[in-house]
Amino acid sequence: GVNQILELKNETFKNLIKLETLILTGNNINLIEYDAFSNLTNLKMLDLNNNPIRRLDFMMNLQSLIEIGLLGCNLKAIERHF
């Protein structure tokens, strides 16, 4: 973490299909496009703690996800779409 990443664009991780853990804690991520994680079919743990994220619609593409860290994010509500 702490790389000051601001955005995750569509297909950011498209060549990392075997990735199981992704830690992005403490950046400044405020935008995650819908298909940013679309090819991460094996992702089980995603840590987004302490980022100013407001939306979670990108999670529709994370079918294998078991654990997600969202502490310190700017979420107002979490809808039950996933």
Side-chain angles (χ1 to χ4, degrees):
V2 195
N3 293 312
Q4 297 309 307
I5 298 168
L6 301 175
E7 301 176 345
L8 297 177
K9 301 279 189 183
N10 287 337
E11 298 183 351
T12 297
F13 305 100
K14 68 179 177 180
N15 295 320
L16 302 174
I17 57 175
K18 294 184 180 182
L19 190 70
E20 293 186 9
T21 301
L22 181 57
I23 300 172
L24 294 166
T25 302
N27 284 284
N28 200 18
I29 300 169
N30 56 38
L31 173 66
I32 299 176
E33 291 186 355
Y34 184 78
D35 286 326
F37 301 111
S38 61
N39 290 349
L40 297 182
T41 55
N42 292 308
L43 190 68
K44 294 178 178 26
M45 190 277 201
L46 176 60
D47 188 340
L48 294 167
N49 291 329
N50 300 311
N51 284 288
I53 299 165
R54 290 191 169 91
R55 295 178 23 213
L56 296 177
D57 53 352
F58 63 86
M59 289 187 58
M60 297 295 288
N61 291 320
L62 296 171
Q63 303 300 319
S64 298
L65 196 67
I66 296 170
E67 181 181 346
I68 186 166
L70 296 169
L71 295 174
C73 294
N74 291 338
L75 297 171
K76 302 294 181 206
I78 298 176
E79 296 180 27
R80 299 193 74 162
H81 291 270
F82 40 88

